[in-house]
Amino acid sequence: MTIISKIFAALIFLVLTFFALSPLGAGIGEALGATIALGGAALVALIVLLAPTGRRAWGRGFLLDGAVFIAMPLLVIPLLGRAYGETVQGIAVEASSTDAAAASIGAGIGVAAAFGAFSFIGLILGLIFLVFGAVLVLGGRREVIVVQQPPSK
């Protein structure tokens, strides 16, 4: 039963990590970006699969994905920079300087809004995953030893 739990956890965290790393991959480029996103997801899945128990596997997965989701604002910077550059470059060729300035301001506002959304979602999910991971990795059996003293005379 432990191996089934570890395999299931590895598959779940493979998909979650690939989802979290896909903006980085899209920002870097198609071939290299897909390799980086899939390689990072495979590394997390391997770490989860090598855990000693199912509980530790789930805990490791949540901890690693929590760290990746907290880093999501940094991971989307290449994608947002690429989107901003393509938007401004495309409009600057065809339009006047006023239209180019308006497009630049609009693209900047759009990039800022997307960065804020990625930051909010990444931090919330990252903190939730880190708490779950800490509980699963650090929790477990507790042994309490009760020592009774003999009654005094």
Side-chain angles (χ1 to χ4, degrees):
M1 188 67 172
T2 300
I3 191 69
I4 294 171
S5 176
K6 292 192 313 187
I7 290 173
F8 185 65
L11 290 175
I12 294 293
F13 291 117
L14 177 80
V15 171
L16 278 174
T17 308
F18 185 77
F19 172 72
L21 292 176
S22 62
L24 176 66
I28 291 176
E30 291 181 17
L32 179 63
T35 304
I36 288 173
L38 192 58
L43 183 65
V44 168
L46 180 67
I47 291 170
V48 168
L49 196 60
L50 294 177
T53 64
R55 178 186 175 112
R56 298 283 169 120
W58 284 97
R60 285 182 183 183
F62 277 121
L63 283 175
L64 290 171
D65 270 357
V68 169
F69 272 98
I70 284 182
M72 186 177 274
L74 299 175
L75 299 177
V76 299
I77 289 175
L79 176 63
L80 296 177
R82 189 175 193 181
Y84 178 81
E86 289 176 2
T87 302
V88 173
Q89 180 185 15
I91 198 70
V93 175
E94 305 166 0
S96 67
S97 63
T98 307
D99 291 338
S104 179
I105 291 170
I109 291 171
V111 165
F115 183 78
F118 274 111
S119 298
F120 181 74
I121 291 170
L123 289 175
I124 296 298
L125 285 177
L127 289 175
I128 291 170
F129 284 175
L130 284 176
V131 169
F132 282 166
V135 167
L136 289 173
V137 168
L138 300 175
R141 295 183 184 170
R142 300 283 185 249
E143 186 174 327
V144 177
I145 299 173
V146 178
V147 177
Q148 293 182 348
Q149 293 186 359
S152 60
K153 294 183 183 182

